[in-house]
Amino acid sequence: MRFQSQKVAYWFFATCMLLLSLQIVYGFIMGFARIGFDGLHDYIPFNTARATHTNLLVVWLLTGFMGAAYYIIPEESDRELYSVKLAYIQLISWVIVGVIAIIGFHFNWWEGRKFLEIPRPLDYLVVVNVLTFLFNIAMTIWEAKKRSTTQLVLFFGLLCAALLYLPGMIYFDNQTLDSYFRWWVVHLWVEGVWELIMGGILAFLLIKLTGVDREVIEKWLYVVVGLTFLSGILGTGHHYYWIGTPKYWLMVGGIFSALEPLAFLGMAIWALNMYRKKGKDHPNKIALYWTLGSAMMSFIGAGFLGFAHTWPAVNQWTHGTLITAMHGHLAFWGAYAMLVLAVISYAMPNMTGRKLFTGMSGYLAFWASNIGMVGMTGALAVAGITQVYLERKLGMDFLVVQKEIVFHFIGMLLAATLFTIGITYFIVDFIRHGLPSNEAVGKNVGDID
């Protein structure tokens, strides 16, 4: 690592690993409940496990983005972080809010709005926390003598993510209005401004790992940003089909949803093209695997599978079924989770000076987790298609259909076990790296300057 203050990122990454582990635990609780082993129901009902599982996903990804920013922004700005003390205060308060929210879910203290379940008092604390984070990052950039497109795209992605949290805090008595603005948060995060964050992190990693000229990579970054805004904003309309909004959203949502895969396809082509043009081989192949894998898997999960069920003629049958879960799992994994793991894989050797990427465990983590996630996606896809046919076409009762697709959840649990083995390897490697070392300051392993 180039600067002492970049060590702050380690503690955000460590928190990530803890939250990811907890998310997997709640995933298994739901999976076993689906096949009839619901012994924890009196303590952790299915709806509690589901809310906890999905919110842990959002929190650990945001924690990863914060850690990535604290690592990338000083390096891109060519100066120390504005305030290390403020970063630690922000992390501690972030964790406290998260712990209170998770405990609250188990006592039915929540708003009941998917992905935005945390109670209103905690919403205000989240806003204060994120503003503190943005202030620290903004001041680092403001006082820097160096500017880059990568740095600014990452910052404005984080800033817009914070601003788009606010519509979800507006209170409505009307369910349609509430759902309408809730999707401003959820959709415009994951298929809008989070893609800017993804683009900024991806650009940084490609610059470091491929040796391609920064100017070339950042020109591609402009293309990705343009595709994101072209499709993502009006693509929100595919969430409005069946909630009582005007019928024109069928056309608007359908057309722009069809364009949404372009941004992810652009990222995949961009990453592969940069790799093909690489100046020289970087020794950290594991980080490169996660980086290129994120670009490709995001196109499949977020782009292709998203389009496959958001076209109005299809969505009228698949809406609210396991088809959505199929898309969601691979989309979040490819677009964001793999990218956070890519940043961690790149940063850890630089922060600790330990070159563990030369061993087999990193490759096992990559392949086991990816094959496991593809297996889970496949199981959910088959279960979802079966559900659509039996429930929506043949008119069978919902609970009867759920019993018919139990077998597919057994397959999903087997795939989830393989996925967990891969993540376990990753976490073990993370622990083996140890704490950041002062001796590692001033240099990066294998970087091409």
Side-chain angles (χ1 to χ4, degrees), residues 203-262:
F204 174 82
L205 290 172
L206 289 172
I207 289 167
K208 297 297 183 181
L209 296 171
T210 66
V212 176
D213 287 344
R214 176 181 290 272
E215 184 179 352
V216 175
I217 287 179
E218 291 186 341
K219 282 180 180 177
W220 267 92
L221 185 55
Y222 287 125
V223 174
V224 170
V225 169
L227 289 172
T228 297
F229 281 103
L230 171 68
S231 60
I233 294 175
L234 290 175
T236 311
H238 71 239
H239 298 289
Y240 298 159
Y241 295 159
W242 324 118
I243 64 169
T245 51
K247 287 187 178 180
Y248 59 73
W249 282 113
L250 287 172
M251 179 182 69
V252 174
I255 291 172
F256 285 93
S257 290
L259 296 175
E260 282 180 14
L262 292 179

Side-chain angles (χ1 to χ4, degrees), residues 23-309:
Q23 189 205 1
I24 292 172
V25 169
Y26 278 87
F28 273 106
I29 290 172
M30 287 192 293
F32 281 112
R34 280 280 193 173
I35 64 174
F37 295 97
D38 198 13
L40 294 175
H41 180 79
D42 291 340
Y43 310 100
I44 309 176
F46 188 88
N47 63 325
T48 299
R50 184 179 184 276
T52 306
H53 181 72
T54 54
N55 280 271
L56 280 169
L57 169 67
V58 174
V59 173
W60 86 258
L61 288 177
L62 287 173
T63 307
F65 291 158
M66 291 174 181
Y70 280 133
Y71 185 88
I72 293 170
I73 294 298
E75 193 150 324
E76 287 291 297
S77 302
D78 198 25
R79 56 154 288 149
E80 295 284 0
L81 188 66
Y82 176 74
S83 173
V84 173
K85 182 179 180 181
L86 193 61
Y88 282 123
I89 292 171
Q90 185 245 321
L91 173 61
I92 292 168
S93 62
W94 178 255
V95 170
I96 290 172
V97 171
V99 169
I100 293 172
I102 291 171
I103 293 173
F105 292 163
H106 293 73
F107 291 93
N108 292 320
W109 188 43
W110 53 12
E111 290 197 4
R113 303 157 72 227
K114 188 169 64 173
F115 291 110
L116 299 175
E117 282 98 343
I118 69 170
R120 186 51 49 90
L122 296 184
D123 276 334
Y124 297 112
L125 294 178
V126 168
V127 170
V128 171
N129 186 280
V130 174
L131 288 176
T132 304
F133 162 70
L134 288 171
F135 172 78
N136 207 358
I137 293 298
M139 290 303 296
T140 303
I141 296 172
W142 181 261
E143 296 186 354
K145 295 180 180 179
K146 179 182 174 183
R147 297 282 189 276
S148 73
T149 301
T150 299
Q151 167 202 72
L152 294 176
V153 168
L154 177 57
F155 172 74
F156 280 107
L158 293 163
L159 174 63
C160 291
L163 293 175
L164 281 169
Y165 188 74
L166 301 178
M169 295 175 63
I170 304 172
Y171 179 79
F172 295 100
D173 289 324
N174 184 286
Q175 179 66 38
T176 297
L177 283 174
D178 181 76
S179 187
Y180 186 93
F181 285 101
R182 185 176 68 86
W183 284 114
W184 281 30
V185 183
V186 180
H187 175 93
L188 290 174
W189 264 9
V190 301
E191 293 171 78
V193 295
W194 277 24
E195 289 184 41
L196 298 188
I197 299 170
M198 180 185 180
I201 296 174
L202 198 57
F204 174 82
L205 290 172
L206 289 172
I207 289 167
K208 297 297 183 181
L209 296 171
T210 66
V212 176
D213 287 344
R214 176 181 290 272
E215 184 179 352
V216 175
I217 287 179
E218 291 186 341
K219 282 180 180 177
W220 267 92
L221 185 55
Y222 287 125
V223 174
V224 170
V225 169
L227 289 172
T228 297
F229 281 103
L230 171 68
S231 60
I233 294 175
L234 290 175
T236 311
H238 71 239
H239 298 289
Y240 298 159
Y241 295 159
W242 324 118
I243 64 169
T245 51
K247 287 187 178 180
Y248 59 73
W249 282 113
L250 287 172
M251 179 182 69
V252 174
I255 291 172
F256 285 93
S257 290
L259 296 175
E260 282 180 14
L262 292 179
F264 291 103
L265 178 61
M267 286 187 184
I269 294 173
W270 169 33
L272 292 172
N273 191 44
M274 293 304 102
Y275 176 69
R276 185 176 60 83
K277 292 180 177 180
K278 67 182 187 297
K280 79 174 197 180
D281 285 331
H282 193 284
N284 191 344
K285 291 291 189 299
I286 300 300
L288 188 61
Y289 269 49
W290 285 109
T291 302
L292 297 177
S294 171
M296 291 183 283
M297 293 290 271
S298 66
F299 168 65
I300 297 170
F304 176 73
L305 293 183
F307 168 70
H309 82 109

Side-chain angles (χ1 to χ4, degrees), residues 401-412:
V401 173
Q402 296 306 302
K403 290 184 68 175
E404 294 294 328
I405 59 177
V406 163
F407 176 78
H408 303 302
F409 281 95
I410 296 174
M412 192 199 74

